[in-house]
Amino acid sequence: MAGAGGRRWRELLAGRARKRKSAFGSEAELREAALHLLDRHQNLSDLLLEVEDSAKPSGQGGAEQHEVPSESFMASVLQEQASRLGVPAVTLAARNTVTNIERICRAPASPSQVPLLDSAQRERLSALLQTVKGLLVDNVFCRSLFCQELWKMKEPPVLEAVWHLHRADIVGLAELLESSPVAPAAVEWLCQSLRGLCGHMEKSCGDTESCGDTELARRLLSDFAIVFLQNGFEQTSELGRKLEFQKVPYICRAVLQRMLAWVLDAVGKEKQEDVSTLRAMRFWLNIFDVSVYRSAVQPDSLQQFFRHTLTEVLTYNPLLKVSDAIHMQKEWSFTRTCPLLTTLYRKLLVAFSVQESICQLQQVLETHEVNWQHVLSCVSTLAICQAEAEQLFKDLLSHLLIKAFENYDMENMITAFLIARQAALEGPAVFMPYSEWFKASFGNAGGHHGSSKKALVFLFEFLSELVPFEAAPYLKVHIMYPPFVPAKHRSILLEYITLAKTRLADLKVAIEDMGLYEDLSAADEAVQPQGQALRDVEKALQIFENTRKIPTSVIEASIFRRPYYTSWFLPALLRPRVLPKAPDMRMALIDSLKRADKIPSNLYSTYVQACRAMREKMLQDESKAEANHPKEPVEQLKAELAALRGLVVDQAKHEDVPAQIAVISDRLAGVWGHSSEDKEAAAPNSPIHVEVSAPRLEPCHQSVVDLLLTSFCQNLIAASYFNPPDRQGPCLSLFVKMMCGHRNLLPALLGRLCQLIYHQGPSLNDAHILGLAAFVTHLSESRALIPEVEADFGISQPAPEKVLSVSEFWNRLLVCRTEESFAFCMRFCTAAASYLMCKFSSYSHEDLCALLPPSLLKKLQYIVPRLCVEARGPLHEEDTAELTWSSLSSPSLNYQRASLCLWKQARFQELLKEKAFQLSFREWLLLELEVYPAKDILSASERREFHYWAIYQWYLPAPSASGGCDGDLQKACGVIINAILDSSQRLDLGSCGQSKASLNPDILCKLQEMVLELRCRWKPLSGCSDAQGHFLFEILQERLKFGEHGSALGQQLWRQQELLQHRRVLVRLPAAALVMAHHKGKKTTLDCEGFFHFVNTELKNICSRGYALSYDITAHFFRGLLNASLDCEEPAAGVNDVLAACQSKCPTVLLSAALWWPRLEPVLCSQWRRLFGAPLAEELERLQEWQSWAAGFLSSGAVFPLSGPPWILAAFLHRTARQQPLCGRGRSALKRLGTDTEQLLVSLLFFSLMDLISAKIAPKEGVDFQTSLEWSLEILQCLEEKGMSWPLLFHPAEQGPGTYGVLRSAASERHTRLLPIAFYSLTPCFHHELLTCEQTFLRVALESYTQLLQLFLEGKDLPGSDQTRHSPDPAEWEDPLELISTARRFLLAAILRCPARSFGSIRPLLATCEELDAELAAALRHASGPSMAMELDEELDLFA
């Protein structure tokens, strides 16, 4: 009760106490007087509000006033008043309390109720509740009577007032609801109040003054939701203590049901609903936050509530038919679904694991009639928001199909198809395309439909029933990739295809107008032919750019799909435009099609004229040039990316990230175009082509990729400011996965990464490097979504390295060759590994190993010890350190310290123990061989120190299991040699395909040291000198044995290149290493068997002259022989034994010495004098003598006696004759040789023929064709004049110890195969007498002809027109066909002149000749008929 001036009762009492001394002797007298006063001036309702501060210290003098026990006082007042009125005190208290609440809740400014109180109302209500609490203590307040009085109010109380009663524990909400006289009325009041509360919150949204109200409303809603759950979804264990509540469970469930229906009704009418209403409903959805109930509700009750709600949503208002779902489901994808519904799903699904969610979905589908819109929206939400959902959906689909075919149940079939299509709508990053699922399920004999004809008929009946409702893309999938059908049931399939084509015709979609690269996995309605044609053109341009050939699909369309090609594809390709000055890909493709007669002339002329007109128009008004791409979609993408950043930095909003990324994916599809990539018609896993040396990106594509990469980096930096990577949620991972799902984005993305990492890496700042490192880490995480990469580094390369995984691809981009590239690579790899280990720190060791790209750790194992000396020693426990993400993202980052810190991490060292992550000796060498010593980050001395540590202290003693050599020096040499050769074969990426000029001198120096050390330790046992026992040649021959496999020509070229590298390595090793020393007792012998074998089988085949090694390897061998002879007791004898053995074991060495003797002689003589100071060894002196004989014979005209093998003398004579111009004296000199020189002349002819062949196949060697031909003809004429036989020189069977055998064994295999060319080059000199005097001539001629034909048919070795064009004198050359024609004419003429006895030896060749030239074979048979019959009669006589 207020006194004058609005002062309160207690203030009045206090004021009077200060003014005069109390007249009452005791407290009882004072109480009695007060009651008397109240009895005369009583307002009990106001009195209840006067007890808020029962004891308050005086503001003056610090004296505390006398306390009045207000609670007992108020109880006394109530009891006194009740006794006067004749009612119970509790009834009076209840009525007066309700009256006060009613007065407080009535808003003075508005006659209608508002859901919340203002501050004055809250203050008055708080005072009232304080009083009521005192009455409860004094037992003068009854809750049940109070509840009854509340329900009698004219207007229900404001919701906040009820909440305060509940919070103050005066009357709980459950007790209040139980006392409701009419339960439906209570439900209506609660629902109306709750909707009003949500609406009020929406209106006050954005008002800073209402922030307190918003928080209060959230608490109110949470408390009420807890009551609803505790009473509406009580467990069995709770029933005993809640038996007193009969109405509450019904009311709580009814309220939740009504409010859910309020939301779901709005979902169905989203476009008609007001935005404010939708926001109000979103506020109500806060009751589905699991965090609200964590400690207040039992987990089982919570699960029951969420499960019940999910079921209610999925089954709410099931009016849509299956046909509606088939037609409309594309509108129910995640990004198109009402946000209210997706928000509800995301909140509900938090309460379950993914398995539980899908099980619940499956259970509802099996037991209820469902709302297909809600079900399929739920599928999309699960697929987007749960990474594990894809496999579980596949399992569910498999289960549904099994049940469908077991019971021939259409419901399970349609459910499976709808779910598969809905999940596929979300893109390949989320679920496999529908076409792939359909092919996987029905495209083979093992499908569910393949068990019986009944199952097959069931499938096609089902598909046929779908046809009237199907969209065109799905029908196209069924037609293009039909179910597997046995041949005997083919009619069933054809019937369905006819039906589907009819439906396509009704949809005005002709299968004939189907695009060349149409995306059959798209769920949109059929694209119009002109739109699809534009996509086809883009794809064709992409293929043409990669292959430089007209795509096969375009060629086929021009023949088999002529209407689409001429009506749609060509007009799309020939759209008029302003042609660029430099021809682009489109112009090149048009030109190629024009030259192939694939573009009609009139259409092409119209196109050219239209382009000219457009150029003129552009010149007239350049300002009106249209932009290629509208800005609006890009701006939308930017806005969504910005919204994502707000979610990333707020850990409480991480659950909203998957939904936002789905929206970004949708916007990205709008910017990029849905696809110029066909996931079905073209192989979906076809490699992505990237031109590493010069990646080309369209400006519009680069801007979009840069936008995405920038967004990723900004999100990473922003998130790292608040949290380390392991607490940043799945945002970045989902973002990269989303990008990988856009298959047509990947070429541009990888091309841009190539530009940034490979070309611009050293110029990037730390923030860029950190962002890119994290990006490629997530790219490797999503590697299953990325096809292999076909990296084009500028020149051809071995096939195994050309197609790379995405992890291998970006590892290949991280080159370590120069100071700048080493620094960048260290920064990048350190950032990537640190981010990965911080991001996935909770992973087990096995999971982390499965995630880590091995190449990343191997690169770090190479770089860190190379640049940080501290990393080379063993780590001790006190050295281990933990790398914190904050230190890595610090602006003042020192990457060398960071790398060392990472290296010392205990977990990092544990990873390095895994075999898959260990950098082997070979891998280390390959990396080191790529370094440019002149530009290395290490100085020469630092590099030598590092090499010594790596080779001798790390890899040489390390076990082979960890990539080492087990302490085996010979094994280490083998690894180095193989690495050097592999490095020579690999691409030199740093110079865009240009090979390095020389081998790495430092590595080569270490190899030379090891080989010398090994040679010092060679002590083979007596008698164990094996022909292939030399380890160097074993290594080289092993490489050739397991070399490249491919075409015959490719294998041949690879082998030649490999042998050239072998020779290159051999001549850089210590010369003495080519020769082994054997100790037999006290005698030491030299063993060159390994070298001889290698020469005979391999090295001789890369001799351009056909019979001699190159000078470098020849000189190297002889120097090594002289050096090795130092180990012998008699060096000269050792050299003599080796050179004498050469005559029979390796004549190529001696022929090489003869060819190079003028250069070789001074070197060997000088070395011999330095080593021994004695006369030359006998065999070396003989070489000198043979050279002197050849020179003297040709210069002086004297006849010297022959002393030596004729073929060696012929070699010296041939080399001397070629160096001295004979000026017509050649034949006269040859005539002086006498009559016993047949072998010498034949050998001389052989060497001349080798030169003749060399001039054809290697004109750059300086051998003149015409000179060689003339010299050969002079030798041949001399042989004929002396009556000496020579044709057997061309006989392939002449392999043996004789002169012919020695010559053929010394020649290269290629030169030997090309001897038929030399033979028929000599035909102008052949005389008729030769046919009669040489019985074997016809056989040799026929054999040479068949070999010539075989060479031509095999397409190898035979010199062709390409070489003819490069010849300095085209007159010297013949076309292969012309040469064969000449040979054939010669043979046909010779057949008529040969004596009968010549035909006896050709019978084994007739079968081969019949296959190659039937006409010639017939002529041979005709000419040889009588003689063969005569020989047959003689054979019969022998057996008579």
Side-chain angles (χ1 to χ4, degrees):
M1 174 173 131
R7 296 168 68 190
R8 296 184 179 180
W9 173 257
R10 185 165 298 283
E11 292 173 357
L12 289 173
L13 293 177
R16 292 184 62 82
R18 287 194 296 270
K19 289 179 181 179
R20 63 177 182 172
K21 189 176 180 180
S22 174
F24 303 103
S26 67
E27 185 176 335
E29 292 178 1
L30 177 62
R31 184 187 302 272
E32 185 67 26
L35 289 174
H36 179 71
L37 178 63
L38 287 172
D39 186 40
R40 295 179 62 187
H41 306 282
Q42 190 173 42
N43 187 334
L44 189 58
S45 294
D46 287 344
L47 183 63
L48 291 175
L49 301 175
E50 298 295 333
V51 293
E52 57 190 23
D53 41 1
S54 57
K56 186 181 291 184
S58 172
Q60 301 175 2
E64 192 172 298
Q65 300 298 320
H66 176 70
E67 288 191 12
V68 180
S70 58
E71 289 83 359
S72 299
F73 170 75
M74 189 58 64
S76 301
V77 172
L78 278 170
Q79 288 171 351
E80 178 68 22
Q81 182 73 3
S83 64
R84 290 182 181 277
L85 297 174
V87 295
V90 291
T91 302
L92 186 60
R95 288 175 180 173
N96 279 278
T97 303
V98 169
T99 302
N100 273 290
I101 290 175
E102 195 168 11
R103 287 168 55 194
I104 292 170
C105 290
R106 187 179 299 114
S110 172
S112 61
Q113 281 194 350
V114 291
L116 296 179
L117 305 174
D118 59 24
S119 56
Q121 289 172 314
R122 287 191 192 112
E123 185 177 359
R124 294 173 63 197
L125 182 61
S126 177
L128 176 64
L129 297 183
Q130 281 289 99
T131 302
V132 172
K133 283 182 180 179
L135 297 178
L136 279 169
V137 172
D138 292 333
N139 291 321
V140 289
F141 189 85
C142 176
R143 288 188 172 91
S144 59
L145 288 175
F146 174 68
C147 290
Q148 292 171 13
E149 292 297 327
L150 269 177
W151 289 113
K152 294 177 183 178
M153 290 174 59
K154 293 180 181 178
E155 293 184 1
V158 172
L159 203 60
E160 184 183 346
V162 175
W163 177 66
H164 283 297
L165 290 170
H166 175 81
R167 293 277 291 184
D169 201 23
I170 293 172
V171 173
L173 178 62
E175 187 176 357
L176 178 63
L177 295 176
E178 183 63 30
S179 64
S180 169
V182 182
V187 172
E188 181 62 32
W189 163 69
L190 265 178
C191 291
Q192 187 175 353
S193 299
L194 290 170
R195 286 196 293 266
L197 176 67
C198 296
H200 181 74
M201 288 301 98
E202 188 279 327
K203 292 176 184 176
S204 61
C205 182
D207 185 0
T208 55
E209 295 181 1
S210 63
C211 291
D213 284 355
T214 302
E215 181 57 31
L216 185 144
R218 289 183 183 277
R219 289 163 54 198
L220 184 155
L221 207 57
S222 299
D223 288 347
F224 279 18
I226 290 171
V227 173
F228 296 154
L229 257 70
Q230 287 176 337
N231 294 277
F233 295 91
E234 67 275 16
Q235 298 299 303
T236 305
S237 59
E238 299 176 307
L239 292 178
R241 63 182 181 84
K242 292 192 176 181
L243 287 176
E244 67 273 16
F245 293 150
Q246 302 296 325
K247 301 176 184 177
V248 177
Y250 160 75
I251 294 174
C252 291
R253 280 180 174 263
V255 169
L256 292 172
Q257 185 74 24
R258 290 270 298 274
M259 294 301 290
L260 181 62
W262 177 55
V263 172
L264 295 179
D265 285 338
V267 169
K269 304 173 184 177
E270 178 190 8
K271 295 180 181 179
Q272 289 81 27
E273 288 287 353
D274 186 72
V275 176
S276 60
T277 306
L278 296 176
R279 288 179 180 172
M281 293 172 180
R282 187 178 291 273
F283 186 79
W284 167 252
L285 295 185
N286 288 320
I287 74 159
F288 296 105
D289 287 339
V290 174
S291 57
V292 170
Y293 311 100
R294 290 199 186 282
S295 58
V297 178
Q298 289 189 359
D300 291 342
S301 296
L302 187 63
Q303 285 266 326
Q304 183 185 356
F305 168 58
F306 277 70
R307 188 174 289 110
H308 170 79
T309 305
L310 181 59
T311 303
E312 288 294 319
V313 175
L314 297 176
T315 59
Y316 182 78
N317 199 13
L319 298 179
L320 290 173
K321 300 177 183 178
V322 168
S323 58
D324 298 325
I326 294 171
H327 182 67
M328 299 171 62
Q329 71 176 130
K330 67 179 181 297
E331 300 297 331
W332 302 334
S333 65
F334 185 83
T335 54
R336 296 185 180 185
T337 297
C338 174
L340 208 59
L341 185 58
T342 55
T343 302
L344 175 60
Y345 280 137
R346 284 162 48 207
K347 291 179 179 292
L348 290 174
L349 296 175
V350 169
F352 311 107
S353 66
V354 190
Q355 293 89 337
E356 290 173 336
S357 300
I358 294 181
C359 285
Q360 178 66 15
L361 177 64
Q362 180 180 349
Q363 182 181 353
V364 171
L365 287 169
E366 290 175 350
T367 57
H368 294 76
E369 189 176 356
V370 296
N371 181 318
W372 281 111
Q373 178 183 2
H374 293 180
V375 167
L376 297 179
S377 299
C378 181
V379 168
S380 284
T381 305
L382 269 170
I384 286 290
C385 299
Q386 299 290 350
E388 305 89 347
E390 180 178 10
Q391 185 56 48
L392 294 171
F393 272 130
K394 290 178 182 177
D395 296 341
L396 173 60
L397 293 172
S398 178
H399 170 76
L400 290 170
L401 289 178
I402 290 172
K403 291 187 66 177
F405 281 94
E406 279 180 354
N407 305 315
Y408 300 105
D409 182 4
M410 288 288 187
E411 287 190 9
N412 281 309
M413 280 291 283
I414 191 59
T415 301
F417 271 70
L418 287 174
I419 291 176
R421 293 178 181 184
Q422 191 68 29
L425 283 174
E426 305 305 331
V430 175
F431 193 79
M432 63 198 301
Y434 172 73
S435 55
E436 289 187 20
W437 174 80
F438 189 79
K439 285 187 290 185
S441 301
F442 307 108
N444 54 72
H448 303 290
H449 66 296
S451 58
S452 65
K453 180 182 178 181
K454 185 177 180 181
L456 188 67
V457 170
F458 168 70
L459 172 63
F460 280 101
E461 283 182 354
F462 169 75
L463 293 176
S464 299
E465 289 188 13
L466 290 184
V467 166
F469 314 103
E470 288 278 44
Y474 295 123
L475 289 172
K476 289 180 180 179
V477 169
H478 299 165
I479 294 173
M480 298 298 292
Y481 307 104
F484 172 82
V485 176
K488 59 184 178 180
H489 301 313
R490 197 74 178 167
S491 60
I492 302 175
L493 172 62
L494 295 176
E495 184 179 345
Y496 168 75
I497 290 177
T498 303
L499 183 64
K501 287 185 175 180
T502 304
R503 169 64 177 164
L504 285 174
D506 294 341
L507 295 172
K508 297 182 180 179
V509 177
I511 200 75
E512 293 77 11
D513 287 341
M514 202 172 131
L516 308 183
Y517 307 103
E518 186 166 337
D519 185 357
L520 299 180
S521 66
D524 295 336
E525 291 295 342
V527 181
Q528 292 302 314
Q530 57 267 34
Q532 184 58 47
L534 291 174
R535 298 182 186 180
D536 288 344
V537 167
E538 292 300 319
K539 177 59 181 176
L541 286 171
Q542 181 185 347
I543 296 174
F544 181 76
E545 182 178 5
N546 294 338
T547 63
R548 300 292 174 172
K549 296 180 181 179
I550 300 173
T552 305
S553 55
V554 175
I555 297 292
E556 291 175 350
S558 69
I559 301 170
F560 303 110
R561 300 186 57 200
R562 191 75 181 170
Y564 174 79
Y565 178 76
T566 56
S567 301
W568 301 111
F569 181 80
L570 284 182
L573 177 65
L574 300 176
R575 294 178 74 187
R577 63 183 181 127
V578 178
L579 298 178
K581 293 181 180 180
D584 59 3
M585 281 300 112
R586 183 182 289 262
M587 293 175 66
L589 176 58
I590 292 171
D591 184 60
S592 297
L593 288 170
K594 182 72 173 63
R595 284 188 279 106
D597 292 331
K598 298 298 181 183
I599 300 179
S601 299
N602 58 342
L603 187 61
Y604 182 77
S605 300
T606 304
Y607 165 69
V608 172
Q609 292 172 4
C611 290
R612 288 174 182 168
M614 287 194 70
R615 181 169 185 81
E616 292 173 1
K617 183 179 178 182
M618 182 197 72
L619 293 175
Q620 292 173 2
D621 189 4
E622 292 185 356
S623 62
K624 294 182 180 180
E626 295 180 357
N628 288 332
H629 293 269
K631 292 184 178 180
E632 184 181 352
V634 176
E635 296 302 324
Q636 291 177 356
L637 178 61
K638 286 181 180 178
E640 299 301 342
L641 290 172
L644 177 65
R645 196 172 312 128
L647 301 179
V648 170
V649 297
D650 189 348
Q651 199 167 4
K653 296 181 180 178
H654 283 176
E655 63 180 20
D656 297 330
V657 164
Q660 182 61 25
I661 288 179
V663 175
I664 292 171
S665 178
D666 188 62
R667 299 294 181 269
L668 180 59
V671 170
W672 202 271
H674 279 275
S675 189
S676 63
E677 170 73 24
D678 177 44
K679 304 179 185 67
E680 272 58 60
N685 294 321
S686 57
I688 299 171
H689 184 85
V690 178
E691 292 187 13
V692 176
S693 57
R696 294 191 298 270
L697 277 77
E698 294 290 339
C700 54
H701 290 175
Q702 180 173 330
S703 64
V704 175
V705 172
D706 285 348
L707 182 63
L708 295 169
L709 292 176
T710 301
S711 175
F712 178 91
C713 295
Q714 290 174 344
N715 289 337
L716 174 67
I717 300 300
S720 299
Y721 183 80
F722 297 98
N723 295 300
D726 57 333
R727 292 171 54 196
Q728 290 174 10
C731 168
L732 299 177
S733 179
L734 292 175
F735 186 82
V736 175
K737 187 177 180 183
M738 175 273 296
M739 291 176 65
C740 295
H742 288 266
R743 177 67 173 80
N744 54 340
L745 170 72
L746 292 177
L749 175 63
L750 296 180
R752 185 59 177 149
L753 287 177
C754 177
Q755 288 179 342
L756 293 171
I757 297 175
Y758 185 71
H759 293 279
Q760 304 171 22
S763 63
L764 299 178
N765 61 33
D766 289 343
H768 291 150
I769 291 174
L770 195 63
L772 282 176
F775 185 83
V776 298
T777 299
H778 286 297
L779 210 60
S780 295
E781 182 192 9
S782 304
R783 55 186 175 269
L785 295 172
I786 306 173
E788 290 180 317
V789 182
E790 191 178 60
D792 182 2
F793 291 98
I795 60 173
S796 60
Q797 58 181 325
E801 294 185 357
K802 192 166 186 179
V803 179
L804 311 168
S805 69
V806 68
S807 300
E808 293 167 339
F809 170 68
W810 65 260
N811 176 62
R812 291 288 297 274
L813 299 180
L814 293 167
V815 294
C816 299
R817 294 190 176 90
T818 64
E819 180 177 356
E820 295 80 10
S821 62
F822 264 109
F824 166 70
C825 196
M826 182 182 210
R827 294 157 68 198
F828 190 94
C829 292
T830 300
S834 303
Y835 175 79
L836 194 147
M837 295 187 68
C838 291
K839 177 71 176 178
F840 305 102
S841 58
S842 61
Y843 275 36
S844 66
H845 182 76
E846 293 74 18
D847 291 340
L848 193 60
C849 289
L851 180 64
L852 269 168
S855 54
L856 174 62
L857 265 66
K858 289 181 179 182
K859 190 78 79 174
L860 281 168
Q861 287 177 80
Y862 171 66
I863 296 172
V864 177
R866 198 177 198 277
L867 304 187
C868 304
V869 179
E870 299 95 320
R872 299 177 191 172
L875 292 179
H876 304 288
E877 261 188 54
E878 58 271 16
D879 292 336
T880 58
E882 291 298 326
L883 180 67
T884 60
W885 179 249
S886 57
S887 66
L888 191 66
S889 54
S890 169
S892 58
L893 174 66
N894 182 313
Y895 266 96
Q896 191 158 340
R897 278 204 307 270
S899 301
L900 197 58
C901 183
L902 173 68
W903 182 266
K904 291 180 178 180
Q905 266 197 30
R907 193 170 192 190
F908 185 85
Q909 289 297 320
E910 284 297 317
L911 289 170
L912 296 186
K913 294 177 183 177
E914 294 292 331
K915 186 175 179 62
F917 298 142
Q918 290 171 349
L919 183 72
S920 67
F921 187 30
R922 177 183 177 277
E923 292 168 328
W924 178 86
L925 284 165
L926 290 174
L927 289 169
E928 191 63 31
L929 287 167
E930 289 185 348
V931 177
Y932 299 148
K935 298 180 180 180
D936 191 5
I937 195 170
L938 299 180
S939 65
S941 59
E942 289 172 335
R943 187 168 58 253
R944 284 194 293 271
E945 181 182 347
F946 170 62
H947 286 173
Y948 183 85
W949 169 83
I951 295 175
Y952 288 106
Q953 294 181 270
W954 185 254
Y955 283 112
L956 183 59
S960 57
S962 60
C965 303
D966 295 316
D968 187 343
L969 201 61
Q970 183 169 313
K971 185 176 182 179
C973 286
V975 175
I976 295 176
I977 291 172
N978 278 308
I980 289 174
L981 294 171
D982 287 338
S983 178
S984 301
Q985 292 279 9
R986 288 177 63 177
L987 283 171
D988 180 23
L989 307 184
S991 54
C992 296
Q994 302 298 321
S995 337
K996 289 182 281 189
S998 61
L999 300 175
N1000 187 298
D1002 299 306
I1003 299 297
L1004 195 59
C1005 180
K1006 291 292 182 288
L1007 176 61
Q1008 292 167 346
E1009 291 175 6
M1010 291 180 174
V1011 170
L1012 279 176
E1013 183 179 345
L1014 276 175
R1015 191 181 184 282
C1016 293
R1017 296 190 306 184
W1018 278 340
K1019 293 181 180 179
L1021 297 174
S1022 176
C1024 61
S1025 60
D1026 185 18
Q1028 301 183 40
H1030 197 302
F1031 87 95
L1032 284 175
F1033 303 112
E1034 287 178 352
I1035 293 169
L1036 299 179
Q1037 288 181 318
E1038 193 71 15
R1039 285 180 61 85
L1040 295 169
K1041 188 185 303 181
F1042 301 102
E1044 285 289 296
H1045 297 285
S1047 66
L1049 181 60
Q1051 175 75 7
Q1052 179 184 340
L1053 293 175
W1054 174 84
R1055 197 176 187 87
Q1056 287 179 359
Q1057 186 180 11
E1058 182 76 8
L1059 284 171
L1060 288 172
Q1061 295 298 333
H1062 290 189
R1063 189 182 72 190
R1064 189 181 179 197
V1065 170
L1066 285 175
V1067 298
R1068 282 164 175 76
L1069 294 177
L1074 302 182
V1075 183
M1076 295 179 69
H1078 285 274
H1079 303 277
K1080 297 181 180 178
K1082 295 183 178 180
K1083 185 179 180 181
T1084 302
T1085 59
L1086 301 181
D1087 179 11
C1088 300
E1089 295 295 329
F1091 180 73
F1092 289 167
H1093 180 77
F1094 192 63
V1095 170
N1096 290 332
T1097 56
E1098 306 297 346
L1099 277 185
K1100 74 173 185 179
N1101 292 319
I1102 57 169
C1103 301
S1104 58
R1105 299 295 286 269
Y1107 60 89
L1109 303 175
S1110 61
Y1111 172 76
D1112 55 359
I1113 191 67
T1114 303
H1116 202 62
F1117 168 72
F1118 276 94
R1119 287 197 303 269
L1121 178 62
L1122 299 190
N1123 286 335
S1125 67
L1126 288 169
D1127 295 335
C1128 300
E1129 293 76 12
E1130 298 181 8
V1135 172
N1136 290 334
D1137 291 342
V1138 171
L1139 294 181
C1142 281
Q1143 296 186 24
S1144 58
K1145 294 184 177 180
C1146 192
T1148 305
V1149 170
L1150 292 179
L1151 295 177
S1152 305
L1155 179 64
W1156 304 111
W1157 188 252
R1159 294 174 61 185
L1160 192 60
E1161 181 184 15
V1163 173
L1164 297 183
C1165 291
S1166 173
Q1167 184 178 357
W1168 185 269
R1169 285 194 299 270
R1170 288 197 313 272
L1171 294 176
F1172 307 109
L1176 278 176
E1178 181 181 348
E1179 290 296 326
L1180 291 176
E1181 285 185 345
R1182 291 184 69 188
L1183 292 174
Q1184 282 184 324
E1185 292 172 359
W1186 292 333
Q1187 170 60 31
S1188 299
W1189 172 84
F1193 175 77
L1194 290 175
S1195 59
S1196 65
V1199 179
F1200 296 93
L1202 301 180
S1203 59
W1207 52 272
I1208 297 181
L1209 293 173
F1212 277 99
L1213 186 61
H1214 175 71
R1215 198 260 321 147
T1216 307
R1218 297 307 304 270
Q1219 290 184 345
Q1220 296 180 5
L1222 298 178
C1223 301
R1225 296 181 289 109
R1227 187 181 303 176
S1228 60
L1230 292 175
K1231 289 180 179 178
R1232 297 197 308 271
L1233 287 173
T1235 57
D1236 57 346
T1237 56
E1238 178 182 353
Q1239 291 185 352
L1240 187 146
L1241 282 172
V1242 170
S1243 301
L1244 202 59
L1245 176 61
F1246 181 81
F1247 297 134
S1248 180
L1249 294 176
M1250 292 295 104
D1251 281 355
L1252 193 70
I1253 296 170
S1254 296
K1256 279 189 174 290
I1257 64 176
K1260 294 182 180 179
E1261 291 293 327
V1263 180
D1264 183 69
F1265 177 84
Q1266 193 62 35
T1267 304
S1268 299
L1269 180 61
E1270 291 173 358
W1271 177 236
S1272 301
L1273 292 175
E1274 288 184 0
I1275 298 171
L1276 186 62
Q1277 190 171 355
C1278 185
L1279 282 168
E1280 291 179 355
E1281 290 174 354
K1282 292 178 178 290
M1284 298 176 179
S1285 179
W1286 56 267
L1288 288 179
L1289 185 64
F1290 296 91
H1291 199 291
E1294 290 298 324
Q1295 296 277 9
T1299 299
Y1300 294 139
V1302 170
L1303 292 174
R1304 294 183 74 95
S1305 68
S1308 76
E1309 292 178 1
R1310 189 181 186 196
H1311 279 72
T1312 303
R1313 284 195 300 270
L1314 293 178
L1315 274 174
I1317 295 178
F1319 179 86
Y1320 281 104
S1321 297
L1322 303 176
T1323 51
C1325 185
F1326 293 160
H1327 300 292
H1328 299 309
E1329 293 81 6
L1330 188 63
L1331 303 177
T1332 55
C1333 64
E1334 284 288 348
Q1335 186 175 349
T1336 60
F1337 182 81
L1338 182 60
R1339 172 177 179 153
V1340 171
L1342 183 59
E1343 208 163 30
S1344 297
Y1345 176 69
T1346 55
Q1347 290 172 7
L1348 201 61
L1349 287 175
Q1350 287 172 335
L1351 287 173
F1352 179 77
L1353 293 175
E1354 292 171 2
K1356 61 180 182 180
D1357 292 325
L1358 197 62
S1361 56
D1362 288 341
Q1363 290 169 313
T1364 302
R1365 287 193 295 268
H1366 297 294
S1367 171
D1369 186 5
E1372 297 175 356
W1373 295 95
E1374 290 181 278
D1375 183 79
L1377 286 175
E1378 186 178 343
L1379 181 64
I1380 292 172
S1381 299
T1382 302
R1384 190 170 187 272
R1385 287 194 300 270
F1386 174 81
L1387 261 179
L1388 288 171
I1391 290 172
L1392 300 175
R1393 296 184 176 90
C1394 284
R1397 66 177 184 275
S1398 299
F1399 293 94
S1401 59
I1402 67 169
R1403 281 192 298 175
L1405 303 175
L1406 285 176
T1408 305
C1409 187
E1410 185 79 37
E1411 293 177 6
L1412 299 173
D1413 190 339
E1415 185 180 349
L1416 180 65
L1420 285 169
R1421 291 186 185 279
H1422 176 74
S1424 61
S1427 62
M1428 287 192 177
M1430 188 182 302
E1431 290 180 10
L1432 183 59
D1433 292 340
E1434 292 175 358
E1435 290 177 5
L1436 292 174
D1437 291 341
L1438 290 176
F1439 294 97

